[in-house]
Amino acid sequence: MLKTAAMLLISAGFSFGGFSLASYYAKRISVIREILLMISVIETQLNYACLPVSDILNLLCESERYENLGFLKKCRSETENGEPFPSAWKKSVQSEKELCRLLSDFTVHLERLGADIGSTDVSGQLRCCEYYRRIFESELALREETGKKYSKLFPALGLTLGISAAILMI
């Protein structure tokens, strides 16, 4: 009886691990999509409304589309407390541990985006947004391709490993 329960728990653990890895890849893709949407909104607001950075930040924070980008609200509160926008943006991005884990090397580009927004004229800021949009679009394409491969592989692999471990226990 105890051996059967152990086999079931081991199988369930491996299966859960496979599903966790698949959801990690899906979450990474959704975060990059939200960043691209954010960059698009920044470009639009700069191009057509010529809003200052603080107003664009307020607009981004009021939207519910950016549930994975919690650093936006932290940045707004920091700027409201008198922190300069570039340093508040950088601190906010670095304080989001989940975001840093998901994006790993690409948080540097996100930090630089905050340093470039509001530092030049409108055309310079638009060029910066275009530059970062291209970086994140290429990363999104790569992650979507990888996600398609592994989203089906990891759950099946976890289940197979769990069953294999259960068989070895017999």
Side-chain angles (χ1 to χ4, degrees):
M1 180 70 169
L2 187 62
K3 196 174 195 179
T4 305
M7 288 187 303
L8 286 174
L9 288 174
I10 289 173
S11 296
F14 277 110
S15 297
F16 178 72
F19 283 107
S20 295
L21 284 172
S23 71
Y24 171 77
Y25 278 93
K27 176 100 173 187
R28 178 184 280 179
I29 289 170
S30 70
V31 166
I32 294 172
R33 283 188 180 143
E34 286 182 19
I35 289 171
L36 284 169
L37 181 63
M38 176 191 70
I39 292 172
S40 176
V41 167
I42 291 171
E43 278 182 307
T44 303
Q45 294 303 320
L46 286 172
N47 200 17
Y48 297 111
C50 297
L51 291 177
V53 176
S54 59
D55 291 345
I56 293 173
L57 187 60
N58 287 332
L59 182 72
L60 292 171
C61 289
E62 291 170 2
S63 177
E64 295 177 7
R65 296 180 190 172
Y66 311 107
E67 64 185 41
N68 294 316
L69 304 180
F71 72 92
L72 292 171
K73 292 183 180 177
K74 288 180 184 178
C75 181
R76 181 174 65 175
S77 68
E78 290 289 325
T79 56
E80 288 173 350
N81 291 334
E83 182 83 24
F85 176 77
S87 62
W89 180 277
K90 185 175 182 175
K91 285 180 186 177
S92 300
V93 169
Q94 290 174 348
S95 70
E96 284 288 316
K97 299 301 181 199
E98 177 77 10
L99 182 72
C100 292
R101 185 180 62 85
L102 288 171
L103 293 180
S104 59
D105 297 337
F106 283 86
T107 54
V108 173
H109 297 295
L110 195 58
E111 291 171 9
R112 289 182 188 157
L113 172 66
D116 292 341
I117 297 297
S119 63
T120 62
D121 62 341
V122 173
S123 63
Q125 292 177 64
L126 290 173
R127 283 192 300 273
C128 288
C129 287
E130 174 70 22
Y131 171 73
Y132 291 112
R133 186 167 45 82
R134 287 183 183 168
I135 289 173
F136 283 106
E137 282 175 347
S138 66
E139 177 67 8
L140 178 64
L142 177 70
R143 296 301 173 191
E144 282 180 335
E145 182 180 320
T146 307
K148 284 179 186 175
K149 270 193 250 182
Y150 295 130
S151 66
K152 294 180 182 174
L153 174 70
F154 284 141
L157 184 63
L159 183 61
T160 305
L161 284 172
I163 291 171
S164 299
I167 290 173
L168 289 175
M169 289 182 69
I170 294 178

